[in-house]
Coordinates of all heavy atoms in Angstrom, one line a residue:
M19 N 10.4 28.9 -5.5 CA 9.4 29.2 -6.5 C 8.9 30.6 -6.3 O 8.6 31.0 -5.1 CB 8.3 28.2 -6.4 CG 7.2 28.3 -7.5 SD 6.2 26.9 -7.8 CE 7.2 26.0 -8.9
A20 N 8.7 31.3 -7.3 CA 8.3 32.7 -7.2 C 6.8 32.8 -6.9 O 6.0 32.0 -7.3 CB 8.5 33.5 -8.5
L21 N 6.5 33.8 -6.1 CA 5.1 34.1 -5.7 C 4.3 34.6 -7.0 O 4.9 35.4 -7.8 CB 5.0 35.1 -4.6 CG 5.4 34.7 -3.3 CD1 5.4 35.8 -2.3 CD2 4.5 33.5 -2.7
L22 N 3.0 34.3 -7.1 CA 2.2 34.8 -8.2 C 1.9 36.3 -7.9 O 1.6 36.6 -6.7 CB 0.9 34.0 -8.3 CG 1.1 32.6 -8.8 CD1 -0.2 31.9 -8.8 CD2 1.8 32.4 -10.1
N23 N 1.8 37.1 -8.9 CA 1.4 38.5 -8.6 C -0.2 38.5 -8.6 O -0.8 37.6 -9.0 CB 2.0 39.5 -9.6 CG 1.6 39.3 -11.0 OD1 0.5 39.0 -11.3 ND2 2.6 39.4 -11.9
D24 N -0.7 39.7 -8.2 CA -2.2 39.8 -8.1 C -2.9 39.6 -9.5 O -4.0 39.0 -9.5 CB -2.6 41.2 -7.6 CG -2.3 41.3 -6.1 OD1 -2.2 40.3 -5.4 OD2 -2.1 42.5 -5.6
D25 N -2.3 40.0 -10.6 CA -2.9 39.8 -11.9 C -2.9 38.3 -12.2 O -3.9 37.9 -12.8 CB -2.1 40.6 -13.0 CG -2.3 42.1 -12.9 OD1 -3.3 42.5 -12.3 OD2 -1.4 42.8 -13.4
Q26 N -1.9 37.6 -12.0 CA -1.8 36.2 -12.2 C -2.9 35.4 -11.4 O -3.6 34.5 -11.9 CB -0.5 35.6 -11.9 CG 0.6 36.1 -12.9 CD 2.0 35.7 -12.4 OE1 2.4 36.0 -11.3 NE2 2.7 35.0 -13.3
I27 N -3.0 35.8 -10.2 CA -4.1 35.2 -9.3 C -5.5 35.5 -9.8 O -6.3 34.6 -9.9 CB -3.9 35.6 -7.9 CG1 -2.5 35.1 -7.3 CG2 -5.0 35.1 -7.0 CD1 -2.1 35.7 -6.0
R28 N -5.7 36.8 -10.2 CA -7.0 37.2 -10.7 C -7.3 36.4 -12.0 O -8.5 36.0 -12.2 CB -7.0 38.7 -11.0 CG -7.7 39.5 -9.9 CD -8.0 40.9 -10.4 NE -6.8 41.6 -10.7 CZ -6.0 42.3 -9.9 NH1 -6.3 42.3 -8.6 NH2 -4.9 42.9 -10.3
D29 N -6.3 36.3 -12.9 CA -6.5 35.5 -14.1 C -6.9 34.1 -13.8 O -7.9 33.5 -14.5 CB -5.3 35.6 -15.0 CG -5.1 36.9 -15.6 OD1 -6.0 37.8 -15.6 OD2 -4.0 37.1 -16.1
F30 N -6.2 33.5 -12.9 CA -6.5 32.1 -12.5 C -8.0 32.0 -12.0 O -8.7 31.2 -12.4 CB -5.6 31.5 -11.5 CG -6.0 30.2 -10.9 CD1 -5.9 29.0 -11.6 CD2 -6.7 30.2 -9.7 CE1 -6.3 27.8 -11.1 CE2 -7.2 29.0 -9.2 CZ -7.0 27.8 -9.9
L31 N -8.3 32.8 -11.1 CA -9.6 32.8 -10.5 C -10.7 33.0 -11.5 O -11.8 32.4 -11.4 CB -9.7 33.8 -9.3 CG -8.9 33.5 -8.1 CD1 -8.9 34.7 -7.1 CD2 -9.2 32.2 -7.4
A32 N -10.5 33.9 -12.5 CA -11.5 34.1 -13.5 C -11.7 32.9 -14.4 O -12.8 32.7 -15.0 CB -11.0 35.3 -14.4
S33 N -10.7 32.1 -14.5 CA -10.8 30.9 -15.4 C -11.2 29.7 -14.6 O -11.5 28.7 -15.3 CB -9.4 30.6 -16.0 OG -8.5 30.1 -15.1
K34 N -11.4 29.7 -13.3 CA -11.7 28.5 -12.5 C -12.9 28.9 -11.6 O -12.7 29.3 -10.4 CB -10.6 28.0 -11.7 CG -9.4 27.6 -12.6 CD -9.7 26.3 -13.4 CE -8.5 25.9 -14.2 NZ -8.9 25.5 -15.5
P35 N -14.1 28.8 -12.1 CA -15.3 29.1 -11.2 C -15.3 28.4 -9.9 O -15.0 27.2 -9.8 CB -16.5 28.7 -12.1 CG -16.0 28.7 -13.5 CD -14.5 28.3 -13.3
G36 N -15.7 29.1 -8.9 CA -15.8 28.4 -7.5 C -14.6 28.6 -6.7 O -14.6 28.5 -5.4
W37 N -13.4 28.8 -7.3 CA -12.2 29.1 -6.5 C -12.2 30.6 -6.1 O -12.6 31.4 -6.9 CB -10.9 28.8 -7.3 CG -10.7 27.4 -7.5 CD1 -11.1 26.6 -8.6 CD2 -10.0 26.5 -6.6 NE1 -10.7 25.3 -8.4 CE2 -10.0 25.2 -7.2 CE3 -9.3 26.7 -5.4 CZ2 -9.4 24.1 -6.6 CZ3 -8.8 25.6 -4.8 CH2 -8.8 24.3 -5.4
E38 N -11.8 30.8 -4.9 CA -11.7 32.2 -4.4 C -10.4 32.4 -3.6 O -9.8 31.4 -3.1 CB -12.9 32.6 -3.6 CG -13.1 31.8 -2.3 CD -14.3 32.1 -1.5 OE1 -15.4 32.2 -2.1 OE2 -14.2 32.4 -0.3
R39 N -10.0 33.6 -3.5 CA -8.8 33.9 -2.8 C -9.2 34.3 -1.3 O -10.1 35.1 -1.1 CB -8.1 35.1 -3.4 CG -6.8 35.5 -2.8 CD -6.0 36.6 -3.4 NE -4.7 36.8 -2.9 CZ -3.9 37.6 -3.4 NH1 -4.2 38.4 -4.5 NH2 -2.7 37.7 -2.8
Q40 N -8.5 33.8 -0.4 CA -8.7 34.1 1.0 C -7.3 34.4 1.5 O -6.5 33.4 1.8 CB -9.4 33.0 1.8 CG -10.8 32.8 1.4 CD -11.5 31.8 2.2 OE1 -11.0 31.1 3.0 NE2 -12.8 31.6 1.9
E41 N -6.9 35.6 1.6 CA -5.6 36.0 2.1 C -4.6 35.4 1.1 O -4.6 35.6 -0.1 CB -5.3 35.7 3.5 CG -6.3 36.5 4.4 CD -6.1 36.2 5.9 OE1 -5.1 35.6 6.3 OE2 -7.1 36.5 6.6
E42 N -3.7 34.6 1.6 CA -2.6 34.0 0.8 C -2.9 32.5 0.4 O -2.0 31.7 0.2 CB -1.2 34.1 1.5 CG -0.8 35.5 1.7 CD -0.8 36.4 0.4 OE1 -0.3 35.9 -0.6 OE2 -1.3 37.5 0.5
T43 N -4.2 32.2 0.3 CA -4.6 30.9 -0.2 C -5.7 31.0 -1.3 O -6.3 32.1 -1.5 CB -5.2 30.1 1.0 OG1 -6.5 30.7 1.4 CG2 -4.3 30.0 2.1
I44 N -5.8 29.9 -2.0 CA -7.0 29.8 -2.9 C -7.8 28.6 -2.3 O -7.3 27.6 -1.9 CB -6.6 29.6 -4.4 CG1 -5.6 28.5 -4.6 CG2 -6.2 30.9 -5.0 CD1 -5.4 28.1 -6.1
V45 N -9.1 28.8 -2.3 CA -10.0 27.9 -1.6 C -11.2 27.5 -2.6 O -11.7 28.4 -3.2 CB -10.6 28.6 -0.3 CG1 -11.5 27.7 0.4 CG2 -9.4 29.0 0.6
K46 N -11.7 26.3 -2.4 CA -12.9 25.9 -3.1 C -13.5 24.8 -2.3 O -12.9 23.9 -1.8 CB -12.6 25.4 -4.5 CG -13.9 25.1 -5.3 CD -13.7 24.8 -6.7 CE -15.0 24.5 -7.5 NZ -14.8 24.3 -8.9
T47 N -14.9 24.8 -2.3 CA -15.6 23.8 -1.6 C -16.3 23.0 -2.7 O -17.0 23.5 -3.6 CB -16.7 24.3 -0.6 OG1 -15.9 25.0 0.4 CG2 -17.5 23.2 0.0
F48 N -16.2 21.7 -2.6 CA -16.8 20.7 -3.6 C -17.9 20.0 -2.8 O -17.7 19.6 -1.6 CB -15.8 19.7 -4.1 CG -14.7 20.3 -4.9 CD1 -13.6 20.9 -4.2 CD2 -14.7 20.4 -6.2 CE1 -12.5 21.5 -4.9 CE2 -13.7 21.0 -7.0 CZ -12.6 21.6 -6.3
E49 N -19.0 19.8 -3.5 CA -20.2 19.0 -2.9 C -20.5 17.7 -3.6 O -20.5 17.7 -4.9 CB -21.4 19.9 -2.8 CG -22.5 19.3 -2.0 CD -23.7 20.3 -1.7 OE1 -23.5 21.5 -1.9 OE2 -24.7 19.8 -1.3
F50 N -20.7 16.7 -2.9 CA -20.9 15.4 -3.4 C -22.2 14.8 -2.9 O -22.8 15.3 -2.1 CB -19.7 14.4 -3.0 CG -18.4 15.0 -3.6 CD1 -17.6 15.8 -2.8 CD2 -18.0 14.7 -4.9 CE1 -16.4 16.3 -3.3 CE2 -16.9 15.3 -5.5 CZ -16.1 16.0 -4.6
G51 N -22.6 13.6 -3.5 CA -23.8 13.0 -3.1 C -23.9 12.5 -1.7 O -24.9 12.4 -1.0
D52 N -22.7 12.0 -1.2 CA -22.7 11.5 0.2 C -21.2 11.5 0.7 O -20.3 11.9 0.0 CB -23.3 10.1 0.3 CG -22.7 9.0 -0.6 OD1 -21.4 9.2 -1.0 OD2 -23.3 8.1 -1.1
F53 N -21.1 11.0 1.9 CA -19.7 10.9 2.6 C -18.8 10.1 1.7 O -17.6 10.4 1.6 CB -19.9 10.4 4.0 CG -18.6 10.4 4.8 CD1 -18.0 11.5 5.2 CD2 -18.0 9.1 5.0 CE1 -16.8 11.4 5.9 CE2 -16.8 9.1 5.7 CZ -16.2 10.2 6.2
V54 N -19.2 8.9 1.3 CA -18.3 8.0 0.6 C -17.8 8.6 -0.7 O -16.6 8.5 -1.0 CB -19.0 6.6 0.3 CG1 -18.2 5.7 -0.5 CG2 -19.3 5.9 1.6
E55 N -18.7 9.3 -1.4 CA -18.2 9.9 -2.6 C -17.2 11.0 -2.3 O -16.2 11.2 -3.0 CB -19.5 10.5 -3.3 CG -19.3 10.8 -4.7 CD -20.6 11.3 -5.4 OE1 -21.7 10.7 -5.2 OE2 -20.5 12.3 -6.2
A56 N -17.5 11.8 -1.2 CA -16.6 12.9 -0.8 C -15.2 12.3 -0.5 O -14.2 12.8 -0.8 CB -17.2 13.6 0.3
M57 N -15.2 11.2 0.2 CA -13.9 10.6 0.7 C -13.2 10.0 -0.5 O -11.9 10.0 -0.6 CB -14.2 9.5 1.7 CG -14.6 10.1 3.1 SD -13.6 11.4 3.7 CE -12.1 10.6 4.0
G58 N -13.9 9.5 -1.5 CA -13.3 9.0 -2.8 C -12.5 10.2 -3.5 O -11.4 10.1 -3.9
F59 N -13.2 11.3 -3.5 CA -12.5 12.5 -4.0 C -11.3 12.9 -3.3 O -10.3 13.2 -3.9 CB -13.6 13.7 -4.0 CG -13.0 15.0 -4.4 CD1 -12.6 15.3 -5.7 CD2 -12.9 16.0 -3.5 CE1 -12.1 16.5 -6.1 CE2 -12.4 17.3 -3.8 CZ -12.0 17.5 -5.1
V60 N -11.4 12.9 -1.9 CA -10.2 13.2 -1.1 C -9.1 12.3 -1.4 O -7.9 12.7 -1.5 CB -10.6 13.2 0.4 CG1 -9.4 13.3 1.3 CG2 -11.6 14.3 0.7
T61 N -9.4 11.0 -1.6 CA -8.3 10.0 -1.9 C -7.7 10.4 -3.2 O -6.4 10.4 -3.4 CB -8.9 8.6 -1.9 OG1 -9.4 8.3 -0.6 CG2 -7.8 7.6 -2.3
S62 N -8.5 10.7 -4.2 CA -7.9 11.1 -5.5 C -7.0 12.4 -5.4 O -6.0 12.4 -6.0 CB -9.1 11.4 -6.5 OG -9.8 10.1 -6.8
V63 N -7.5 13.4 -4.7 CA -6.7 14.6 -4.5 C -5.4 14.2 -3.7 O -4.4 14.7 -4.2 CB -7.5 15.6 -3.6 CG1 -6.6 16.8 -3.2 CG2 -8.7 16.2 -4.4
A64 N -5.5 13.3 -2.8 CA -4.3 13.0 -2.0 C -3.2 12.4 -2.9 O -2.0 12.6 -2.8 CB -4.7 12.0 -0.9
L65 N -3.7 11.5 -3.8 CA -2.7 10.8 -4.8 C -2.1 11.9 -5.7 O -0.8 11.9 -5.9 CB -3.4 9.8 -5.6 CG -3.9 8.6 -4.8 CD1 -4.8 7.7 -5.7 CD2 -2.8 7.8 -4.2
H66 N -2.8 12.8 -6.2 CA -2.3 13.9 -7.1 C -1.3 14.8 -6.2 O -0.2 15.2 -6.7 CB -3.3 14.7 -7.7 CG -4.0 14.0 -8.9 ND1 -3.4 14.0 -10.1 CD2 -5.2 13.4 -9.0 CE1 -4.2 13.3 -10.9 NE2 -5.2 12.9 -10.3
A67 N -1.7 15.1 -5.0 CA -0.9 16.0 -4.2 C 0.4 15.3 -3.8 O 1.4 16.0 -3.8 CB -1.7 16.3 -2.9
E68 N 0.4 14.1 -3.6 CA 1.6 13.4 -3.2 C 2.6 13.3 -4.4 O 3.7 13.5 -4.2 CB 1.2 11.9 -2.7 CG 2.4 11.2 -2.1 CD 3.0 11.8 -0.8 OE1 2.3 12.6 -0.2 OE2 4.2 11.5 -0.5
R69 N 2.1 13.0 -5.5 CA 2.9 13.1 -6.7 C 3.5 14.4 -6.9 O 4.7 14.5 -7.4 CB 2.1 12.7 -8.0 CG 2.0 11.2 -8.2 CD 1.3 10.8 -9.5 NE 0.3 9.9 -9.2 CZ -1.0 10.1 -9.4 NH1 -1.4 11.1 -10.1 NH2 -1.9 9.1 -9.1
A70 N 2.8 15.5 -6.7 CA 3.3 16.8 -6.9 C 4.1 17.3 -5.7 O 4.7 18.4 -5.7 CB 2.1 17.8 -7.1
F71 N 4.1 16.5 -4.6 CA 4.8 16.9 -3.4 C 4.3 18.3 -2.9 O 5.0 19.2 -2.6 CB 6.3 16.8 -3.4 CG 6.9 16.8 -2.1 CD1 6.8 15.7 -1.2 CD2 7.7 17.9 -1.6 CE1 7.3 15.7 0.1 CE2 8.3 17.8 -0.4 CZ 8.0 16.8 0.5
H72 N 3.0 18.5 -3.0 CA 2.3 19.7 -2.7 C 1.0 19.4 -2.1 O 0.1 18.9 -2.8 CB 2.2 20.6 -3.9 CG 1.8 22.0 -3.5 ND1 2.5 22.8 -2.7 CD2 0.7 22.7 -3.9 CE1 1.9 24.0 -2.6 NE2 0.8 23.9 -3.3
H73 N 0.8 19.6 -0.8 CA -0.3 19.1 0.0 C -1.3 20.2 0.4 O -0.9 21.1 1.2 CB 0.1 18.3 1.1 CG 1.2 17.2 0.7 ND1 2.5 17.4 0.7 CD2 1.0 16.0 0.2 CE1 3.1 16.4 0.2 NE2 2.2 15.5 -0.1
P74 N -2.6 20.1 0.0 CA -3.5 21.1 0.4 C -4.0 20.8 1.9 O -4.0 19.7 2.4 CB -4.7 20.9 -0.6 CG -4.6 19.4 -0.9 CD -3.1 19.1 -0.9
D75 N -4.6 21.9 2.4 CA -5.4 21.7 3.6 C -6.7 21.2 3.2 O -7.3 21.8 2.3 CB -5.5 23.0 4.4 CG -4.2 23.5 4.9 OD1 -3.3 22.7 5.2 OD2 -4.0 24.7 5.1
I76 N -7.2 20.1 3.9 CA -8.5 19.5 3.4 C -9.4 19.5 4.6 O -9.0 19.0 5.7 CB -8.2 18.0 3.0 CG1 -7.3 18.0 1.8 CG2 -9.5 17.4 2.6 CD1 -6.8 16.6 1.3
D77 N -10.6 19.9 4.4 CA -11.7 19.9 5.5 C -12.9 19.1 4.9 O -13.4 19.5 3.8 CB -12.1 21.3 5.9 CG -13.2 21.3 6.9 OD1 -13.0 20.6 8.0 OD2 -14.1 22.1 6.8
V78 N -13.3 18.1 5.6 CA -14.4 17.2 5.2 C -15.6 17.4 6.1 O -15.4 17.3 7.3 CB -14.0 15.7 5.1 CG1 -15.2 14.9 4.6 CG2 -12.8 15.5 4.2
R79 N -16.7 17.8 5.6 CA -18.0 17.9 6.3 C -19.0 17.1 5.6 O -19.7 17.5 4.7 CB -18.4 19.3 6.4 CG -17.4 20.3 6.9 CD -17.1 20.1 8.4 NE -16.0 20.8 8.8 CZ -15.9 21.5 10.0 NH1 -16.9 21.4 10.8 NH2 -14.8 22.2 10.3
W80 N -19.2 15.8 6.0 CA -20.1 14.8 5.4 C -19.9 14.8 3.9 O -19.1 14.0 3.4 CB -21.5 15.0 5.8 CG -22.4 13.9 5.4 CD1 -22.3 12.6 5.8 CD2 -23.4 13.9 4.4 NE1 -23.2 11.8 5.1 CE2 -23.9 12.6 4.3 CE3 -24.0 14.9 3.7 CZ2 -24.9 12.3 3.4 CZ3 -25.0 14.6 2.8 CH2 -25.5 13.3 2.7
N81 N -20.7 15.5 3.1 CA -20.6 15.5 1.6 C -19.9 16.7 1.0 O -19.9 16.8 -0.2 CB -22.0 15.3 1.0 CG -22.8 16.6 1.1 OD1 -22.7 17.4 2.1 ND2 -23.8 16.7 0.3
K82 N -19.3 17.5 1.9 CA -18.6 18.7 1.4 C -17.1 18.6 1.7 O -16.7 18.3 2.8 CB -19.2 20.0 1.9 CG -20.6 20.2 1.5 CD -21.2 21.5 2.0 CE -22.6 21.6 1.5 NZ -23.4 22.5 2.4
V83 N -16.3 19.0 0.7 CA -14.8 18.9 0.9 C -14.3 20.3 0.5 O -14.5 20.8 -0.6 CB -14.1 17.9 0.0 CG1 -12.6 17.9 0.1 CG2 -14.7 16.5 0.3
T84 N -13.7 21.0 1.5 CA -13.1 22.3 1.2 C -11.6 22.1 1.1 O -11.0 21.5 2.0 CB -13.4 23.3 2.3 OG1 -14.9 23.4 2.4 CG2 -12.8 24.6 2.0
L85 N -11.0 22.6 0.0 CA -9.6 22.5 -0.2 C -9.0 23.9 -0.1 O -9.6 24.8 -0.7 CB -9.3 21.9 -1.6 CG -9.8 20.5 -1.8 CD1 -9.5 20.0 -3.2 CD2 -9.2 19.5 -0.8
R86 N -7.9 24.0 0.5 CA -7.2 25.3 0.7 C -5.8 25.1 0.2 O -5.1 24.3 0.8 CB -7.3 25.7 2.1 CG -6.7 27.1 2.4 CD -7.0 27.4 3.9 NE -8.3 27.2 4.4 CZ -9.4 28.0 4.2 NH1 -9.2 29.2 3.6 NH2 -10.5 27.7 4.6
L87 N -5.3 25.9 -0.8 CA -4.0 25.7 -1.4 C -3.1 26.9 -1.1 O -3.6 28.1 -1.3 CB -4.1 25.5 -2.9 CG -4.9 24.3 -3.3 CD1 -5.0 24.3 -4.8 CD2 -4.2 23.0 -2.9
S88 N -1.9 26.7 -0.7 CA -0.9 27.8 -0.6 C 0.4 27.1 -0.5 O 0.6 26.0 0.0 CB -1.2 28.6 0.8 OG -0.3 29.6 0.9
T89 N 1.5 27.8 -0.9 CA 2.8 27.3 -0.8 C 3.4 27.9 0.4 O 4.0 29.0 0.3 CB 3.6 27.6 -2.1 OG1 2.9 27.1 -3.2 CG2 5.0 27.0 -2.1
H90 N 3.3 27.2 1.5 CA 3.8 27.8 2.8 C 5.3 28.1 2.8 O 5.7 29.2 3.3 CB 3.5 26.8 3.9 CG 2.0 26.5 4.0 ND1 1.0 27.4 4.4 CD2 1.3 25.3 3.7 CE1 -0.2 26.8 4.4 NE2 -0.1 25.6 4.0
S91 N 6.1 27.3 2.1 CA 7.5 27.6 2.1 C 7.9 28.9 1.3 O 8.9 29.5 1.6 CB 8.2 26.4 1.5 OG 7.9 26.2 0.1
A92 N 7.0 29.3 0.5 CA 7.2 30.5 -0.3 C 6.5 31.7 0.3 O 6.7 32.8 -0.1 CB 6.8 30.3 -1.8
G93 N 5.6 31.4 1.3 CA 4.8 32.5 1.9 C 3.6 33.0 1.1 O 3.2 34.2 1.3
G94 N 3.0 32.2 0.2 CA 1.9 32.6 -0.5 C 1.6 31.7 -1.7 O 1.9 30.5 -1.7
L95 N 1.0 32.3 -2.7 CA 0.6 31.5 -3.8 C 1.6 31.4 -4.9 O 2.2 32.4 -5.3 CB -0.7 32.1 -4.4 CG -1.9 32.0 -3.4 CD1 -3.0 32.9 -3.9 CD2 -2.4 30.6 -3.4
T96 N 1.8 30.2 -5.4 CA 2.8 30.0 -6.5 C 2.1 29.1 -7.6 O 1.0 28.7 -7.4 CB 4.1 29.3 -6.0 OG1 3.6 27.9 -5.6 CG2 4.7 30.0 -4.9
E97 N 2.8 28.9 -8.7 CA 2.3 28.0 -9.7 C 2.0 26.6 -9.2 O 1.2 25.9 -9.8 CB 3.4 27.9 -10.9 CG 3.3 29.1 -11.7 CD 4.3 29.0 -12.9 OE1 4.6 27.8 -13.3 OE2 4.6 30.0 -13.5
K98 N 2.7 26.2 -8.1 CA 2.4 24.8 -7.6 C 0.9 24.8 -7.1 O 0.2 23.8 -7.3 CB 3.2 24.5 -6.4 CG 4.7 24.2 -6.7 CD 5.5 23.9 -5.4 CE 5.5 22.4 -5.3 NZ 6.5 22.0 -4.3
D99 N 0.4 25.9 -6.6 CA -1.0 25.9 -6.2 C -2.0 25.9 -7.4 O -2.9 25.1 -7.4 CB -1.2 27.2 -5.3 CG -0.3 27.2 -4.2 OD1 -0.4 26.3 -3.4 OD2 0.5 28.2 -4.1
T100 N -1.7 26.7 -8.4 CA -2.6 26.7 -9.5 C -2.6 25.4 -10.3 O -3.6 25.0 -10.8 CB -2.4 28.0 -10.4 OG1 -1.0 28.0 -10.8 CG2 -2.7 29.3 -9.7
E101 N -1.4 24.9 -10.4 CA -1.2 23.6 -11.1 C -2.0 22.5 -10.4 O -2.7 21.7 -11.0 CB 0.2 23.2 -11.3 CG 1.0 24.0 -12.3 CD 2.5 23.8 -12.3 OE1 3.0 23.0 -11.5 OE2 3.2 24.5 -13.0
L102 N -1.9 22.4 -9.1 CA -2.6 21.4 -8.4 C -4.2 21.7 -8.4 O -4.9 20.8 -8.6 CB -2.2 21.3 -6.9 CG -2.8 20.3 -6.0 CD1 -2.7 18.8 -6.7 CD2 -2.3 20.3 -4.6
A103 N -4.6 22.9 -8.4 CA -6.0 23.2 -8.5 C -6.5 22.8 -9.8 O -7.6 22.3 -9.9 CB -6.2 24.8 -8.3
E104 N -5.7 23.0 -10.9 CA -6.2 22.5 -12.2 C -6.3 21.0 -12.3 O -7.3 20.5 -12.9 CB -5.2 23.0 -13.3 CG -5.3 24.5 -13.5 CD -4.6 25.0 -14.7 OE1 -4.4 24.3 -15.7 OE2 -4.3 26.3 -14.7
K105 N -5.4 20.2 -11.7 CA -5.5 18.8 -11.6 C -6.8 18.4 -10.8 O -7.5 17.5 -11.2 CB -4.3 18.2 -10.8 CG -3.0 18.2 -11.7 CD -3.0 17.2 -12.7 CE -1.7 17.2 -13.4 NZ -1.7 16.4 -14.7
I106 N -7.1 19.1 -9.8 CA -8.3 18.9 -8.9 C -9.5 19.1 -9.8 O -10.5 18.3 -9.8 CB -8.2 19.7 -7.7 CG1 -7.1 19.2 -6.7 CG2 -9.6 19.7 -7.0 CD1 -6.8 20.2 -5.6
E107 N -9.5 20.2 -10.6 CA -10.7 20.5 -11.4 C -10.9 19.3 -12.5 O -12.0 18.9 -12.7 CB -10.4 21.8 -12.2 CG -10.6 23.0 -11.3 CD -12.0 23.1 -10.8 OE1 -13.0 23.0 -11.6 OE2 -12.2 23.4 -9.6
E108 N -9.8 18.8 -12.9 CA -9.9 17.7 -13.9 C -10.6 16.4 -13.2 O -11.3 15.7 -13.9 CB -8.5 17.2 -14.4 CG -7.9 18.3 -15.3 CD -6.4 17.9 -15.7 OE1 -6.0 16.8 -15.5 OE2 -5.8 18.8 -16.2
L109 N -10.4 16.3 -11.9 CA -11.0 15.1 -11.2 C -12.5 15.3 -11.2 O -13.2 14.3 -11.1 CB -10.4 15.1 -9.8 CG -9.0 14.7 -9.6 CD1 -8.6 14.8 -8.1 CD2 -8.7 13.3 -10.1
T110 N -13.0 16.5 -11.2 CA -14.4 16.8 -11.1 C -15.1 17.1 -12.4 O -16.2 17.5 -12.5 CB -14.7 17.9 -10.1 OG1 -14.1 19.1 -10.6 CG2 -14.2 17.5 -8.7
G111 N -14.2 17.0 -13.5 CA -14.8 17.2 -14.8 C -14.8 18.7 -15.2 O -15.4 19.2 -16.2
G112 N -14.1 19.5 -14.3 CA -14.1 21.0 -14.5 C -13.0 21.4 -15.4 O -12.3 20.7 -16.0

């Protein structure tokens, strides 16, 4: 899969508030009411990620979940990352 160019990444970030670029990843932290709600979100993300065979790095801190997406096999950001990020946004009503 081809790497996204800087313009494509900028366009994605402009259309998805809260996502930011950190080197060769896109990252967003989601905040929930409590730990159980955060873990429910993680489970939903895991199901979508497994179907897409594309797995984010996930960090859980009580009611905050940080997701980091990158296509390691391609060495950076690809459409797989932006597509999964869009699915994740749908889970939160974004």
